[in-house]
Amino acid sequence: MSRSFAFLFRTTLILFLFSVGGFCQELSQQTESQLGFGANSGVVTGEDFVLTYQVDPILGVLSLSLKDGNFDHQLFEEYRVGRDFLAINHEVVAEKVYLLLSNQNSFKMICVIDTKTQDIKFYPISVNLGRIDQFKIIGNTLLVVESLEKGDFVQLYDYRSGVLISLSELFYPKTRVWDVQVKGDVFDILIHKKGDYTNQSLRMIGFATSGAKVYEKEILPLGPKKLIFKSAKLISSPASGYSIVGTYAKKQGEQFSGYYHVSVNDFLEQEAKIHPMRSLEGFFDYKKNPGWRRNAKNLRREMVVYHSKTDGKYIAMASSSDKVVRKFVHFVLLDHSGARIYDTSVKVFYGLGNALSDYSTLGLIDKDLYFIFEGNSKYNVLPGYKLYQIKEGNLAGLLRIEDFMQMKRNFEQWEEVKFYHWKDNKFIVSGIETVNGTSRHVVQKIEV
């Protein structure tokens, strides 16, 4: 039998799914796959790959498509995983991608994709981990976060041995996991604990994969009084340790007073800088008269950092508030010491509070920012997705994203469109395209 003939007819048995009563089985190799009703799709980007996944909850099929760093096709494979898988979380560690699949019956499994060797393995999860809102991985151990009404619940699970550890000491009323990162063999967790009035704290806590606490450190920015933390992101520093950036208020009822930056080295020593609102030159740039700060208090409500990016040299933040009638996005660029390079604002329109997190993406190239956003249609505002180009702190252009789309397909007929910053000046756009009644998940590359 020839190798090509054997390849066409091979069937790979990977695992037996106890709760869905079927086999996880490789079906075929193609270039694109048809979508059924309710299919979930997404894109995972790395420096040298673009992985596209889609799971059909009715057919019970997971499709994986891999492209290399030149966006050239590497593989397309389909696996029968069982029905009712509706949610997928993902995490990237070096050249490996981990997909965490969840179905309606609380059954979960891990799909591990090696983007270098193209080896794909599946592991069933034998315990109920609840709804997964965040997860990180070290070796075989998953750290999973479930957001409950009273607080966030954190667990460690070894998907090879089945050992489950609950970090119950992190579960308190009004306690939230704001971020999780990994360095070496430690899970670094950023915890915000809110009490009555101004009684609140921000802490970094490290745990080993065994569940043992490695360290605990309270974050204390400069000033005679404690700041009221409104949001935070944990960003790996190129030299050592972390940078913590976010928004703060000086007193209750004043929802936004500025930004803070705290560098934490490997010895847990802190160095903090704050950037008060009055020092932000570009906070009102979106207004016709930026110097007119009347009713500025109305713009201070619930400013939150939605996106953060780093290239190892600079840290970029995109912040906004879903409580403000006239929406805008404020961009801040810092270096890793916390010094402000520039800040500026652009006007956007949206109605939903999660619009910035779900329908926008931020790219950082040296000191330049690229921001893709889709908001509500308004008079004299371009419809669809817009590309904001910010060069050296100035808005250099506002362009329709269709200007960069060079494809045979009709972009206007795409649904569930999503954008991802890949690397350098390259973005990935994905969507559902329907031609002659057949829906397919397609991806394209954009260079700006």
Side-chain angles (χ1 to χ4, degrees), residues 139-181:
N140 302 324
T141 302
L142 305 176
L143 181 146
V144 295
V145 180
E146 181 182 5
S147 294
L148 302 175
E149 183 177 354
K150 291 184 177 181
D152 291 348
F153 190 53
V154 182
Q155 300 177 94
L156 299 176
Y157 177 73
D158 189 318
Y159 66 84
R160 300 296 292 270
S161 66
V163 174
L164 177 67
I165 301 171
S166 298
L167 303 180
S168 56
E169 64 180 286
L170 300 182
F171 182 67
Y172 296 101
K174 297 182 180 180
T175 298
R176 297 297 176 189
V177 175
W178 273 1
D179 209 347
V180 182
Q181 298 296 333

Side-chain angles (χ1 to χ4, degrees), residues 378-441:
K378 294 289 184 180
Y379 184 66
N380 287 337
V381 176
L382 292 172
Y385 283 88
K386 276 77 67 176
L387 173 66
Y388 299 84
Q389 298 173 297
I390 298 173
K391 294 184 176 294
E392 294 295 335
N394 298 310
L395 182 61
L398 172 57
L399 304 172
R400 290 188 63 181
I401 198 65
E402 289 89 331
D403 297 338
F404 291 94
M405 300 295 292
Q406 298 190 2
M407 62 179 68
K408 297 179 181 178
R409 300 178 172 92
N410 186 352
F411 177 71
E412 295 290 346
Q413 295 180 357
W414 282 26
E415 297 178 351
E416 300 182 23
V417 180
K418 296 180 182 179
F419 288 88
Y420 309 83
H421 179 235
W422 182 17
K423 59 181 178 179
D424 302 325
N425 64 332
K426 299 176 179 65
F427 289 79
I428 300 298
V429 56
S430 72
I432 309 300
E433 180 192 50
T434 302
V435 178
N436 298 326
T438 301
S439 296
R440 296 180 182 276
H441 181 256

Side-chain angles (χ1 to χ4, degrees), residues 91-93 135-139 141 143 179-189 207 209 234 236 241-242:
E91 184 61 26
V92 179
V93 179
F135 91 95
K136 291 288 182 178
I137 187 164
I138 298 176
T141 302
L143 181 146
D179 209 347
V180 182
Q181 298 296 333
V182 169
K183 273 205 171 183
D185 56 356
V186 176
F187 292 108
D188 298 295
I189 309 174
F207 284 91
T209 56
L234 188 60
S236 181
Y242 285 100

Side-chain angles (χ1 to χ4, degrees), residues 2 8 10 25 85-87 95 125 154 258 285 302 360 368 444:
S2 68
L8 289 173
R10 71 186 176 96
Q25 181 181 10
F85 281 96
L86 299 175
E95 72 278 0
I125 293 178
V154 182
D285 280 352
E302 301 298 338
S360 67
D368 297 337
Q444 292 287 336

Side-chain angles (χ1 to χ4, degrees), residues 45 307-311 314-318 329 331-333 342 356 360-373 386-392 419-428 446 448:
T45 60
H307 296 293
S308 62
K309 282 279 187 177
T310 184
D311 61 358
Y314 300 106
I315 299 171
M317 292 180 283
V329 181
F331 301 98
V332 180
L333 186 71
Y342 65 75
L356 283 178
S360 67
T361 186
L362 178 66
L364 171 63
I365 305 169
D366 194 31
K367 293 183 180 180
D368 297 337
L369 299 178
Y370 294 90
F371 184 66
I372 296 179
F373 175 74
K386 276 77 67 176
L387 173 66
Y388 299 84
Q389 298 173 297
I390 298 173
K391 294 184 176 294
E392 294 295 335
F419 288 88
Y420 309 83
H421 179 235
W422 182 17
K423 59 181 178 179
D424 302 325
N425 64 332
K426 299 176 179 65
F427 289 79
I428 300 298
I446 302 175
V448 299

Side-chain angles (χ1 to χ4, degrees), residues 47 57 74 97 120 123 145 177 179 186 265 327-328 333 348 363 373 376 381 424 438:
E47 185 68 23
Q74 295 297 300
V97 177
I120 301 173
Y123 301 92
V145 180
V177 175
D179 209 347
V186 176
N265 65 22
K327 313 293 186 179
F328 66 101
L333 186 71
V348 298
F373 175 74
N376 295 348
V381 176
D424 302 325
T438 301

Side-chain angles (χ1 to χ4, degrees), residues 95-331:
E95 72 278 0
K96 291 186 177 180
V97 177
Y98 297 81
L99 299 181
L100 180 55
L101 288 75
S102 305
N103 74 359
Q104 289 180 325
N105 299 319
S106 299
F107 181 83
K108 293 177 175 61
M109 66 177 169
I110 283 283
C111 175
V112 183
I113 303 111
D114 191 316
T115 61
K116 292 293 186 184
T117 65
Q118 300 179 13
D119 182 42
I120 301 173
K121 289 185 171 63
F122 291 80
Y123 301 92
I125 293 178
S126 58
V127 299
N128 185 358
L129 296 177
R131 187 190 68 202
I132 305 300
D133 294 288
Q134 302 179 56
F135 91 95
K136 291 288 182 178
I137 187 164
I138 298 176
N140 302 324
T141 302
L142 305 176
L143 181 146
V144 295
V145 180
E146 181 182 5
S147 294
L148 302 175
E149 183 177 354
K150 291 184 177 181
D152 291 348
F153 190 53
V154 182
Q155 300 177 94
L156 299 176
Y157 177 73
D158 189 318
Y159 66 84
R160 300 296 292 270
S161 66
V163 174
L164 177 67
I165 301 171
S166 298
L167 303 180
S168 56
E169 64 180 286
L170 300 182
F171 182 67
Y172 296 101
K174 297 182 180 180
T175 298
R176 297 297 176 189
V177 175
W178 273 1
D179 209 347
V180 182
Q181 298 296 333
V182 169
K183 273 205 171 183
D185 56 356
V186 176
F187 292 108
D188 298 295
I189 309 174
L190 195 61
I191 296 285
H192 181 255
K193 183 184 295 185
K194 184 178 180 181
D196 297 331
Y197 196 54
T198 59
N199 182 22
Q200 51 94 61
S201 65
L202 185 64
R203 295 178 179 271
M204 277 185 66
I205 307 177
F207 284 91
T209 56
S210 64
K213 184 190 291 186
V214 179
Y215 70 88
E216 181 173 350
K217 186 71 173 180
E218 185 174 6
I219 305 303
L220 297 170
L222 296 172
K225 296 182 179 180
K226 279 189 174 182
L227 303 182
I228 299 174
F229 299 102
K230 307 305 294 184
S231 64
K233 296 288 186 181
L234 188 60
I235 299 171
S236 181
S237 173
S240 63
Y242 285 100
S243 289
I244 302 173
V245 295
T247 54
Y248 73 90
K250 290 191 298 183
K251 59 184 179 180
Q252 201 73 14
E254 195 173 273
Q255 298 294 340
F256 174 68
S257 299
Y259 295 88
Y260 63 90
H261 173 281
V262 181
S263 59
V264 183
N265 65 22
D266 289 338
F267 301 99
L268 300 180
E269 298 169 335
Q270 301 181 43
E271 185 175 344
K273 287 185 174 67
I274 61 172
H275 300 282
M277 181 180 173
R278 63 178 178 271
S279 70
L280 301 173
E281 299 174 355
F283 192 76
F284 293 92
D285 280 352
Y286 74 97
K287 300 181 71 172
K288 291 182 179 180
N289 185 349
W292 188 53
R293 300 198 173 194
R294 184 179 177 182
N295 295 327
K297 188 175 181 180
N298 292 332
L299 302 176
R300 297 185 178 189
R301 293 181 293 172
E302 301 298 338
M303 284 289 290
V304 171
V305 177
Y306 281 92
H307 296 293
S308 62
K309 282 279 187 177
T310 184
D311 61 358
K313 187 176 181 181
Y314 300 106
I315 299 171
M317 292 180 283
S319 307
S320 190
S321 169
D322 62 353
K323 304 296 184 183
V324 178
V325 176
R326 292 192 172 186
K327 313 293 186 179
F328 66 101
V329 181
H330 186 226
F331 301 98

